[in-house]
Every structure is written in structure tokens, then in C-alpha cells.
């Protein structure tokens, strides 16, 4: 829980009344460039998220093993490095184990043997996480990051505009880790999604829909809030070149889980036309959502929306849900719990056990051990 202070942006301090994604604190991007203020006065940042492939690789149909060879070599070198470091620590431990005196300093305090960092810094630099502070892009200094932008080629970077440290109701304007996990799975199983018509619920900044757009025929990226949807549409435009080789199309639309119908008001921005609703219901075969299970009421609303939409689809559909288990200590339980995840699982079980004579749902857990195509930290809680 954090709020980015307005002062000292190069060394931010945080308060406890808003939310900050770990992606923004420990980010593979070297810079967060503040590009503008949005309609509600929040700073909007532009971040570069590096891909471990290029659109040329996907277009040529390269095998996953070929694309990820460099990363596997990096992992092996990291394993060898860890073994080397452990041997160094072991040797030092044997030297110090000759007598208790060797483990105490002049004042009698215990000296702790630590793993040497010099070797790991040299050989496993890419495996370490550096805290990245936001940078204000000042007028007249646009060329300050020219070298960095030149390193980011069009085919190996996703550019995303987002906010940082938002109130809970605006968390969709941030980038969350489960969106990367779902994007990884899409790229790993890209033949499964090739040519599909896809609906994303709670698309946020649009990064997962953008990745899906590199392989799918059409993606309806949905959320609520005109300011958020405008940011999502901007991100789609920033990454249009990634979708061009496959001919994918992304449509940003409003979809409120608390309402029973699609917004069809022609005066409302991001509303649906009758043709678009018909296209979705006639052709959609994939629904996806990432990191949207943090509030029990919204979780209930999402599953009601999920049931309503799947009930009206012409064809069978597969739903992909990705989330991060967030552990919290609660006074009510006097223990570390994950209440939002528990409620999600209970609601998912209710959906699977639903018997209305019309729909049948089955649930399968996908282990997150597939290849990683984007640079981020894949933690155990994903």
C-alpha cells in the first residue's frame, strides 16, 4: 500500500492510503518517463517492458526452444554461479570453524559469513532486481533518453502508459504481475489462440490484450471508466506495430460487471454497436482476465457477468484466469491469510458445481512452469 509523494520524485516516499504495484518498484524497464497528467490529475508514466522474442521470430514460426535458448543459457550460468558462490562460502566456513575466536570481532560481536556479491554482480547482472525510481521528463530534455530508446527496438518492447500509486478504485491504471503471466501463457500456446475472437474482462492498461492481439484475430478489451479506457486505447495505438504482422485487431470497450447489459448508448464513449455485440456472441471462443480478484463484491460481479456472457455465446468457450495470491496478516484471524483468493476459489467451485440444465463448467489448474517470454519476476504466488 503506497502513495507516490508529489515532491522528490527521484527518491519517492510512500504513504499507506493507496496501492502500488510491485511491477513499478522492481521493473525491468530502466526508466519511468512521466509524459502527462490524465483527466483526474494523476501523473501518467511511460514504461518499456522488454520481450524475449520479436515479431519476426513469431512470424517465422520459430520453435519455443529456439526463442528461449538465450534465456536457458543465462539460467544455467546463474546456476553455475550459485554453485561457485556456495563453494566459496563453504571454504570460508571451514576456515572459520577452527575456533570460536575466528567468528568474533574485536568487540566480541559475531561476524556473519556472507555470500560474496562481486562475482554475481559481474556474471548475473540480469538476474538481479534494481529499484527503479520514476523520472520526470522535463521540457527541453527529451533527448536525455535517446540512447535508451534506441536500445528498445520496435519488435522486442511493449510500451505501456500507466499511473503509479493509485487509490484502490483506480488499480486498473497500474500494471500487475498476473497480466505478464497470462501474456506468457498466450505466447507459449500461441497456436491455440491463433485466429480466435477473444474477450478480456478488466483489461486495465491493456498489456495482456496487446499480447493476445499478436496472435488472435480480434480482441475486445473491456473495463470501466472513460479515463482508464482512454489510456488503454492509447497503449493499443503505441503497440499497433506488434499486431500488424498477424493482422490482429483490438477494440477497447466499456463493460461494467455491475450492469446486466452492454452499453449501447451511441453518445457514450467506448459503447458497443449491435454489430459488435453480435460478433462477440457469435464468434468468441476465449475469455480472459488477469489480477481482478481483490474485492469480494467485484469477484461476485465478475462471475455473474461471466455466466451471463457464456450463457449467450453460440459456441463453447474457454476462460483463462490469472491472479496473484496476496497474503495479509489479519487481526480477525490473528494469522496470515489470503481472503480474496479464498473467496475466488469458493466462487469458482460454485460455478463448477452449477446445475441449471443449460451450462456445464469444468475447472483445470495450469501450472505456471511454461516458458517466460517477458522480463518480470515470476514469483510463487502467481
Amino acid at each position: 500500500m503506497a502513495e507516490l509523494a508529489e515532491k522528490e520524485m527521484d527518491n519517492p516516499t510512500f504513504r499507506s492510503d493507496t496501492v502500488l504495484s510491485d511491477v513499478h518498484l522492481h521493473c525491468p524497464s530502466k526508466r519511468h518517463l512521466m509524459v502527462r497528467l490524465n483527466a483526474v490529475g494523476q501523473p501518467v508514466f511511460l514504461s518499456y517492458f522488454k520481450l524475449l522474442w520479436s515479431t519476426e521470430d513469431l512470424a517465422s514460426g520459430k520453435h519455443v526452444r529456439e526463442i528461449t535458448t538465450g534465456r536457458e543459457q543465462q539460467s544455467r550460468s546463474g546456476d553455475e554461479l550459485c554453485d561457485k558462490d556456495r563453494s566459496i562460502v563453504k571454504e570460508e566456513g571451514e576456515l572459520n570453524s577452527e575456533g570460536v575466536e575466528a567468528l568474533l570481532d574485536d568487540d566480541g560481536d559475531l561476524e556473519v559469513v556472507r555470500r560474496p556479491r562481486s562475482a554475481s554482480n559481474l556474471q548475473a547482472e540480469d538476474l538481479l532486481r534494481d529499484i527503479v525510481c520514476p523520472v520526470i521528463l522535463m521540457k527541453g530534455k527529451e533527448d536525455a533518453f535517446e540512447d535508451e530508446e534506441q536500445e528498445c527496438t520496435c519488435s522486442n518492447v511493449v510500451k505501456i502508459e500507466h499511473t503509479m500509486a493509485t487509490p484502490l478504485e483506480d488499480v486498473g491504471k497500474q500494471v500487475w504481475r498476473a497480466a505478464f503471466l497470462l501474456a506468457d501463457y498466450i505466447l507459449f500456446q500461441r497456436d491455440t489462440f491463433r485466429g480466435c475472437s477473444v474477450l478480456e474482462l478488466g483489461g486495465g492498461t491493456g498489456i495482456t490484450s496487446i499480447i493476445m492481439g499478436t496472435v488472435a484475430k480480434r480482441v475486445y478489451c473491456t473495463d470501466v471508466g472513460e479515463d482508464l479506457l482512454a489510456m488503454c486505447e492509447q497503449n493499443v495505438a503505441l503497440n499497433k506495430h506488434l499486431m500488424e504482422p498477424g493482422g490482429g485487431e483490438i477494440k477497447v470497450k466499456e463493460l461494467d460487471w455491475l450492469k446486466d447489459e452492454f452499453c449501447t448508448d451511441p453518445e457514450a464513449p467506448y459503447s458497443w454497436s449491435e454489430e459488435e455485440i453480435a460478433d462477440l456472441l457469435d464468434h468468441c471462443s476465449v475469455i480472459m482476465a488477469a489480477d481482478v480478484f481483490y474485492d469480494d463484491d467485484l469477484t461476485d460481479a465478475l462471475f455473474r457477468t461471466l455466466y451471463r456472457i457464456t450463457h449467450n455465446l453460440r459456441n463453447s468457450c474457454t476462460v483463462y484466469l490469472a491472479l496473484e495470491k496476496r497474503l495479509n496478516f489479519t487481526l480477525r484471524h490473528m494469522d496470515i491469510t489470503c481472503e480474496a483468493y479464498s473467496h475466488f476459489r469458493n466462487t469458482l467451485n460454485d460455478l463448477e458445481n452449477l446445475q441449471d440444465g443449460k451450462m456445464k463448467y469444468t475447472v483445470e489448474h495450469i501450472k505456471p512452469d511454461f516458458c517466460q517470454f517477458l522480463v518480470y519476476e515470476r514469483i510463487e504466488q502467481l
Side-chain angles (χ1 to χ4, degrees):
M1 305 291 285
E3 178 181 4
L4 190 61
E6 293 181 356
K7 297 181 179 180
E8 299 181 0
M9 295 292 287
D10 289 337
N11 187 20
T13 58
F14 303 99
R15 299 173 184 169
S16 59
D17 53 348
T18 51
V19 184
L20 175 65
S21 168
D22 287 345
V23 171
H24 304 318
L25 278 181
H26 303 284
C27 179
S29 174
K30 295 180 181 178
R31 293 286 192 275
H32 294 295
L33 306 183
M34 178 179 166
V35 291
R36 60 185 172 86
L37 295 177
N38 62 19
V40 295
Q42 296 168 329
V44 175
F45 296 85
L46 175 65
S47 292
Y48 300 93
F49 297 98
K50 189 174 182 181
L51 302 165
L52 300 177
W53 51 270
S54 67
T55 51
E56 289 80 4
D57 291 330
L58 296 184
S60 64
K62 282 191 176 182
H63 192 273
V64 172
R65 179 70 61 181
E66 296 173 352
I67 297 175
T68 58
T69 299
R71 183 167 183 82
E72 291 170 354
Q73 292 175 347
Q74 182 187 59
S75 300
R76 284 197 297 270
S77 64
D79 294 338
E80 294 169 358
L81 178 63
C82 292
D83 293 337
K84 179 180 178 181
D85 291 339
R86 281 193 290 268
S87 66
I88 294 175
V89 173
K90 181 178 179 181
E91 291 174 1
E92 292 188 0
E94 291 173 352
L95 292 174
N96 293 331
S97 63
E98 295 177 358
V100 177
E101 294 78 12
L103 295 176
L104 303 177
D105 62 15
D106 296 337
D107 298 328
D109 298 323
L110 180 65
E111 289 186 338
V112 180
V113 177
R114 301 184 183 276
R115 182 170 75 95
R117 298 188 61 187
S118 57
S120 61
N121 285 340
L122 290 174
Q123 300 184 36
E125 183 179 356
D126 291 339
L127 302 179
L128 299 178
R129 298 189 305 162
D130 295 324
I131 291 182
V132 181
C133 296
V135 176
I136 301 296
L137 187 59
M138 305 297 291
K139 184 177 181 180
K141 296 185 178 180
E142 289 83 354
D143 59 342
F145 305 104
E146 282 185 356
D147 293 339
E148 181 173 314
E149 293 185 2
Q150 290 174 359
E151 294 176 4
C152 302
T153 63
C154 292
S155 60
N156 70 349
V157 165
V158 179
K159 297 179 181 180
I160 296 293
E161 286 193 1
H162 59 88
T163 59
M164 298 174 69
T166 65
L168 187 61
E169 60 268 20
D170 281 340
V171 292
K173 296 177 182 178
Q174 299 190 52
V175 183
W176 299 91
R177 205 155 11 206
F180 288 103
L181 182 71
L182 185 52
D184 272 344
Y185 186 76
I186 292 167
L187 293 172
F188 181 66
Q189 296 285 354
R190 57 187 178 276
D191 289 340
T192 301
F193 303 106
R194 200 178 303 279
C196 288
S197 182
V198 181
L199 169 67
E200 180 174 14
L201 301 174
T205 60
I207 187 169
T208 308
S209 283
I210 290 169
I211 296 299
M212 178 65 85
T214 64
V215 292
K217 177 182 179 181
R218 181 173 293 113
V219 181
Y220 290 97
C221 181
T222 68
D223 216 309
V224 291
E226 184 176 345
D227 195 56
L228 172 59
L229 293 171
M231 176 186 292
C232 181
E233 191 171 55
Q234 169 68 5
N235 287 331
V236 171
L238 285 173
N239 296 280
K240 189 176 180 180
H241 60 280
L242 295 176
M243 295 163 276
E244 287 177 347
E249 178 187 18
I250 298 178
K251 294 191 174 186
V252 179
K253 296 294 177 181
E254 177 185 330
L255 183 56
D256 192 338
W257 306 341
L258 300 178
K259 297 180 181 178
D260 294 332
E261 301 294 338
F262 293 94
C263 176
T264 56
D265 182 0
E267 301 297 325
Y270 308 105
S271 63
W272 296 72
S273 67
E274 295 296 336
E275 292 77 11
E276 289 169 336
I277 296 175
D279 175 66
L280 175 72
L281 299 181
D282 287 344
H283 300 105
C284 180
S285 60
V286 174
I287 299 176
M288 61 181 184
D291 247 332
V292 295
F293 305 103
Y294 57 89
D295 177 89
D296 290 354
D297 292 336
L298 288 178
T299 295
D300 293 339
L302 182 139
F303 275 99
R304 287 195 298 269
T305 299
L306 198 60
Y307 174 80
R308 175 174 60 86
I309 292 176
T310 54
H311 182 266
N312 291 305
L313 292 180
R314 172 170 298 202
N315 304 307
S316 61
C317 178
T318 305
V319 183
Y320 296 89
L321 306 175
L323 71 158
E324 179 179 341
K325 302 176 187 176
R326 290 180 171 83
L327 306 175
N328 296 287
F329 180 85
T330 62
L331 292 176
R332 183 159 60 93
H333 295 92
M334 292 303 292
D335 197 2
I336 296 176
T337 62
C338 191
E339 292 184 294
Y341 176 75
S342 299
H343 184 77
F344 158 74
R345 290 295 311 187
N346 292 334
T347 311
L348 188 63
N349 290 337
D350 292 341
L351 187 68
E352 187 176 20
N353 296 326
L354 181 67
Q355 296 180 355
D356 63 355
K358 300 177 181 179
M359 301 288 294
K360 179 177 177 58
Y361 298 86
T362 58
V363 177
E364 177 185 353
H365 176 257
I366 301 174
K367 294 182 179 180
D369 56 358
F370 41 85
C371 296
Q372 187 167 338
F373 292 85
L374 291 106
V375 179
Y376 68 102
E377 184 186 26
R378 190 182 286 185
I379 60 176
E380 293 181 1
Q381 288 73 30
L382 284 174

